Amino acid sequence: MLTALSIDRIAFTIFGKDIYWYSLILAVAVVTVFTLCCIRGKKKGYKDDIFVDLCFVILIAGVIGARILYVLTNWDNYADDPISILYIWEGGLAILGGFVTALPCYVIYCYKKKINLWDLLDIIAPCFALAQCIGRWGNFVNQELYGPVVTQEFLQFFPFAVYIDRTQSWHMATFFYESMWSLMTFIVLSILSKKKHDKGDIFFLYIVFYSVIRIILDGIKLEGTLTNQLICVGMIAVVAVLYCIKHKIHHDEAFSKKVHAKIPAGLLSDFEPPVQTDKKEESKDKE
C-alpha cells in the first residue's frame, strides 16, 4: 500500500529478479564519487587507474564493514534468520563500520603504490560527502533511519517529516537532514579545497562534519545507537591528535626528525612521492 511520499522499494523486475531502488541509488552514489574523483584527481596529476583500483579496494572493504556494524547493532532483526545478513540489497549499511574496514585497506594501497595518502584523501573527501547525500535517499525508499513520531499536524509535511507505512504515522525525516548536511559539507569542502591548505586538512574537516551530524542524529533517530555516537566522538579525538601531530611536523624540525625516524615516510603528510615516468618514454630515451 502506497501512502503519502511512499515509493515501492522495487524499481523494476528483470527476468524474474527484483531490482531495488536502494541498490540503484547506491550505484548512482558510487558512480558519482568515482567520476568526481577522476575529475578532481586529473587536476592534481592523478591517473584514473588509481580511482578504478580504489573503487574495488574501498568499496568492497567498506561495504563489508558497513554491513557487519549494522548487523551487530541490529542483531534482533537477523537472529531468527541469519541468512538474511547477506540480503544487502534490502538495505542496512552503517557507514561508520565502512570507515573502520576501508581506511586500513586504503592506507596499505597508497603505501604500496607510493602515493601521498593524505593528498588523495583531500581529493576523495568532498566527493564522498556528495555520495552520502545521494545515498541517504535509499533510506527514504526503504523507510528507515527516521526519527520520533511527529504528532503536531502543522509539522506533518516533507521534508521536516516523512510518513512511514509500517507505523502509519509521520516521523522526523532524519535521513533528509543528514542528506542536506552532506550536501553542505560537499559545497564547503569543495570551496576550501581551492584555497591553500596542508595535505589532509580537507579530510580532517570532513570527518569532523560527518561525526558532528551523526552524534546529533543518532541521539534523535529511532535506529540510532550509543555505539555510533561513541565511534564518532573517538573519530573526532583521533583527528584532533593527528592534526596537532601533522601541524607540529610541518613547523618543528626537531619533532619532524623524531617522527620520521619512527614512522615510514610514506605514511606522513609531507611525503613526496617519486616522480612517475612513462616506461615507453624511458625506453625511447635509452635508444
Side-chain angles (χ1 to χ4, degrees):
M1 175 182 178
L2 294 180
T3 54
L5 294 170
S6 297
I7 297 177
D8 191 340
R9 294 173 62 191
I10 300 173
F12 51 86
T13 302
I14 300 179
F15 303 120
K17 177 65 177 177
D18 293 335
I19 306 299
Y20 289 79
W21 278 112
Y22 184 86
S23 301
L24 292 177
I25 291 171
L26 288 186
V28 170
V30 170
V31 171
T32 299
V33 71
F34 172 73
T35 303
L36 283 178
C37 281
C38 289
I39 293 173
R40 288 169 56 82
K42 281 182 180 179
K43 295 178 181 179
K44 287 198 170 187
Y46 289 100
K47 296 180 180 179
D48 292 351
D49 292 351
I50 292 175
F51 300 107
V52 172
D53 291 343
L54 287 176
C55 259
F56 290 98
V57 173
I58 294 177
L59 187 60
I60 295 175
V63 168
I64 291 174
R67 185 60 171 176
I68 289 174
L69 181 59
Y70 182 85
V71 170
L72 289 177
T73 53
N74 295 272
W75 179 244
D76 290 342
N77 298 331
Y78 301 95
D80 296 331
D81 185 21
I83 192 64
S84 63
I85 293 174
L86 302 177
Y87 302 163
I88 194 171
W89 55 87
E90 294 185 357
L93 294 175
I95 296 177
L96 291 172
F99 284 143
V100 174
T101 52
L103 276 176
C105 295
Y106 167 82
V107 171
I108 293 172
Y109 174 83
C110 290
Y111 184 72
K112 293 292 185 181
K113 292 289 185 178
K114 294 182 172 56
I115 299 171
N116 187 306
L117 63 92
W118 300 102
D119 187 41
L120 200 57
L121 279 175
D122 284 346
I123 293 173
I124 296 172
C127 308
F128 197 68
L130 183 58
Q132 286 176 290
C133 170
I134 297 170
R136 280 304 175 204
W137 287 90
N139 302 133
F140 164 66
V141 175
N142 279 0
Q143 295 196 351
E144 57 189 3
L145 301 186
Y146 48 84
V149 174
V150 176
T151 55
Q152 299 88 344
E153 289 189 11
F154 70 95
L155 292 177
Q156 293 177 344
F157 66 91
F158 189 80
F160 179 79
V162 62
Y163 190 87
I164 303 300
D165 291 330
R166 58 180 168 271
T167 66
Q168 293 292 295
S169 56
W170 288 83
H171 292 256
M172 292 180 67
T174 48
F175 85 90
F176 179 79
Y177 309 158
E178 186 174 340
S179 178
M180 291 301 99
W181 180 273
S182 296
L183 178 61
M184 180 276 294
T185 300
F186 165 71
I187 294 172
V188 171
L189 295 185
S190 296
I191 293 173
L192 294 178
S193 294
K194 298 178 181 179
K195 300 182 181 297
K196 186 177 180 180
H197 62 274
D198 291 334
K199 292 180 177 65
D201 286 355
I202 301 300
F203 173 68
F204 286 160
L205 276 176
Y206 163 75
I207 292 296
V208 172
F209 283 158
Y210 177 71
S211 297
V212 167
I213 195 63
R214 285 304 301 269
I215 290 171
I216 295 172
L217 292 184
D218 267 71
I220 298 175
K221 60 192 179 186
L222 300 184
E223 295 182 33
T225 67
L226 178 60
T227 299
N228 288 340
Q229 291 177 303
L230 292 177
I231 290 175
C232 287
V233 171
M235 286 169 58
I236 292 177
V238 170
V239 161
V241 172
L242 290 176
Y243 177 80
C244 291
I245 293 175
K246 182 171 69 71
H247 186 270
K248 196 167 184 179
I249 288 175
H250 287 197
H251 298 88
D252 188 328
E253 187 174 346
F255 179 76
S256 178
K257 289 181 179 179
K258 289 180 181 179
V259 172
H260 278 79
K262 297 180 179 180
I263 300 177
L267 300 178
L268 301 174
S269 61
D270 59 356
F271 172 64
E272 292 296 336
V275 177
Q276 298 292 328
T277 56
D278 193 318
K279 291 183 179 179
K280 292 182 179 179
E281 291 183 1
E282 277 187 356
S283 60
K284 287 182 180 179
D285 292 338
K286 289 180 181 179
E287 292 175 359

